[in-house]
Amino acid sequence: MTLNEQEIRKIAEEAVRQLGKDATEEKIEQVVREAAERVAREEPGAVSRQTTPINQTHNRIIITAFGRNRIGILAGLTAILAEHQCDILDLSQKILQEFFTIMLLVDISNCNMSFEEIKQEVVRRGEDLDLKVIVQHEDIFNAMHRI
Amino acid sequence: MPISLEEILETIRMTEVEHFDIRTVTMGISLLDCRSDDLQRLKTNIYDKVTRIAAEHVKMARKVESAYGISIANKRLAVTPLAIAAEGFYKEDYIEIARVLDKAADELGIDYLGGFSALVQKGFTPGDRQLIQAIPEALASTEHICSSVNVASTKAGMNMEAIRMMGEIVKETARATADRDAIGCAKLVVFANVPEDNPFIAGAFHGVSEPDVVVNVGISGPGVVLRAVREAEEDLDFSALADRIRAMAFKITRAGIFIGHEVARLQNVPFGIVDISLAPTPLQGDSVADILKAMGLEDVGATGTTAALALLNDSVKRGGLMASSHVGGLSGAFIPVSEDAGMIEAVKKGHISIEKLEAMTSVCSVGLDMVAIPGKTPAEVIAGMIADEAAIGITNNKTTAVRAIPVPGKDVGDSVDYGGLLGEAPIMPVSQLSNNIFIRRGGRFPAPTRGANN
């Protein structure tokens, strides 16, 4: 935040004047945004951007699945990951009575889908297999369980 | 060291079973550069700035929720106390400004917006008086706006005229929202030693020493602490019990700060503080009262309750302070009656009284919080409640507050249900003895000697 309200208003007013009858809401916003970004670049110290102290590994996700054990659940989940170029880095599983828990650590750097899309796909496949599936970025676990 | 299956399952149990969530991600916005002596201009400036700065707040918070699988219960805004940002206007003008802010909050998808506030611990400016008079109608005619007034501090003492006035304002707010069981009072809190970076509603505002924009985060998580205490054997001593609470507080604070940093980073805004208050909800198992009971009390209100709360509060702070260098806001356990299923039960059974809640204030943050009282309670009695709480605050150098709801037409034995996070409030008896002469003395109640600490 390097420009104050009055300056932004002045830029907007100037933009409206210069654009004349071409002034649409989108155009004005674009001009003001560009001006603000230029100012921010010229004064690098002015933008108070804090770096996050917590380790960022944005391309690793953890998939946890719960449900009754039956043939093909692990195959079903991993097939969809392979289909979208997701790399399984680690896998653990546990059976408590008939209840099955699967944990997959997955690298999605080369995935051909966004996080949201692959999350939806995996959750949907889980539903077909009667599994409750939770997909989360790995960072949250590092934040909570590591000093 | 890779994350183990047990650690993953613990996190998932916390979020899926024990209601662990981030209570609020609150964006603070300074309105100091919106000033103008023209009301129309001022309203436009405020509306433009708030909607521009917070345009992505809700969207980014949702993105972070989805990415990390931890829900953020509320996305809120806090602005510079309006009595400061819009000094020099009149009662009707402040009501109009409140409506403008309400419109902005509505369009942004914000749950609540705090900052219809004045800081009058030492005295009033003309704007302070006008704003305070505007509170009842501002709250009655808006959906999202919350109001707070700071009437006392350890350095300044207590502004007794403000305290008397706030007794009346609470009554008037109840009258103005009588058709909705005085819900306006749930959005009005009277403080002593108010923090300037509190992300929790209704007391949130963006202090004048804050940067232009900031994101603060408030954690929740009584459910996970409850489990840690419930799992403790009956003969586990207090050191060991405190250790368990501390370890749990560390984890939830780390989750909170992580989520807060992410929401701030995505909007290119600095991160401010994490408020480590343990905030309950009316959901079963998300209760602070239940934690105190799990320590070995038959119910809250039993002798030992204050000590149990002190242990809980201190242990949460130890874990939280280890987890983050920037702990701020209120950062003490909340004991709001209507928002805590265990508290509601205890009130209904007659196990806990306003007097005991007042005593508990001395070891937590907000004392008489979401306390419904008979509608016939005179303004002076409410002012007396505020004065008592403020006295505890300034003498012990801590934040205290009152959020009392004198529900019109209701008396002890009745109950009001606000639904959602505000919960259900059984009407509690409060001493109706007269304090008129005391409250009407006015003037400045001297600051305690501990305020002179330099």
Side-chain angles (χ1 to χ4, degrees), chain A residues 67-80:
Chain A
R68 281 193 188 284
N69 188 19
R70 59 185 249 207
I71 293 167
I73 49 177
L74 188 56
L77 285 179
T78 49
I80 198 149

Side-chain angles (χ1 to χ4, degrees), chain B residues 286-337:
Chain B
D286 204 22
S287 155
V288 169
D290 285 353
I291 300 173
L292 306 182
K293 277 151 70 178
M295 286 187 194
L297 302 170
E298 185 183 340
D299 200 353
V300 285
T303 56
T305 303
T306 310
L309 183 60
L311 180 83
L312 172 65
N313 206 19
D314 189 70
S315 309
V316 168
K317 278 183 195 164
R318 286 169 192 270
L321 289 169
M322 171 72 190
S324 170
S325 305
H326 300 293
V327 168
L330 292 162
S331 288
F334 292 162
I335 47 169
V337 173

Side-chain angles (χ1 to χ4, degrees), chain B residues 261-297:
Chain B
H261 267 289
E262 282 298 283
V263 175
R265 188 180 61 81
L266 288 173
Q267 300 183 81
N268 198 18
V269 163
F271 177 77
I273 55 95
V274 56
D275 187 323
I276 55 171
S277 300
L278 216 50
T281 69
L283 291 171
Q284 280 303 334
D286 204 22
S287 155
V288 169
D290 285 353
I291 300 173
L292 306 182
K293 277 151 70 178
M295 286 187 194
L297 302 170

Side-chain angles (χ1 to χ4, degrees), chain B residues 163-399:
Chain B
I163 288 176
R164 183 188 55 72
M165 202 189 270
M166 287 315 296
E168 284 162 13
I169 294 293
V170 169
K171 283 286 281 183
E172 251 183 75
T173 305
R175 272 195 293 272
T177 52
D179 56 330
R180 286 163 283 161
D181 285 325
I183 195 163
C185 296
K187 296 187 276 183
L188 170 60
V189 53
V190 188
F191 273 108
N193 286 327
V194 71
E196 302 213 339
D197 51 7
N198 161 26
F200 287 102
I201 289 296
F205 65 78
H206 185 75
V208 288
S209 57
E210 297 283 308
D212 190 44
V213 186
V214 72
V215 167
N216 295 321
V217 63
I219 59 161
S220 169
V224 294
V225 175
L226 177 62
R227 189 222 328 152
V229 175
R230 273 204 180 134
E231 283 173 356
E233 306 76 28
E234 278 189 15
D235 58 352
L236 192 77
D237 77 1
F238 280 111
S239 308
L241 191 61
D243 282 350
R244 293 198 182 187
I245 300 172
R246 188 157 48 93
M248 206 49 88
F250 174 81
K251 289 178 189 174
I252 60 180
T253 309
R254 289 279 286 200
I257 195 167
F258 178 81
I259 297 289
H261 267 289
E262 282 298 283
V263 175
R265 188 180 61 81
L266 288 173
Q267 300 183 81
N268 198 18
V269 163
F271 177 77
I273 55 95
V274 56
D275 187 323
I276 55 171
S277 300
L278 216 50
T281 69
L283 291 171
Q284 280 303 334
D286 204 22
S287 155
V288 169
D290 285 353
I291 300 173
L292 306 182
K293 277 151 70 178
M295 286 187 194
L297 302 170
E298 185 183 340
D299 200 353
V300 285
T303 56
T305 303
T306 310
L309 183 60
L311 180 83
L312 172 65
N313 206 19
D314 189 70
S315 309
V316 168
K317 278 183 195 164
R318 286 169 192 270
L321 289 169
M322 171 72 190
S324 170
S325 305
H326 300 293
V327 168
L330 292 162
S331 288
F334 292 162
I335 47 169
V337 173
S338 79
E339 297 172 359
D340 186 313
M343 280 291 178
I344 297 170
E345 273 307 305
V347 171
K348 283 185 173 166
K349 288 180 184 156
H351 289 167
I352 194 156
S353 62
I354 283 188
E355 290 73 20
K356 186 66 179 176
L357 289 172
E358 184 186 314
M360 288 161 79
T361 306
S362 58
V363 297
C364 69
S365 61
V366 178
L368 299 180
D369 194 14
M370 289 301 285
V371 172
I373 53 176
K376 61 172 193 229
T377 309
E380 290 79 9
V381 168
I382 298 171
M385 291 165 72
I386 297 169
D388 284 343
E389 282 285 319
I392 292 173
I394 64 169
T395 311
N396 296 293
N397 205 9
K398 67 189 290 300
T399 304

Side-chain angles (χ1 to χ4, degrees), chain A residues 5 116 119 137 143 145-146, chain B residues 7 11 33 52 66-67 254:
Chain A
E5 255 338 79
E116 284 297 333
K119 177 177 170 177
H137 270 294
H145 299 283
R146 296 289 175 270
Chain B
E7 287 168 327
T11 307
D33 61 354
R52 180 171 57 81
S66 171
R254 289 279 286 200

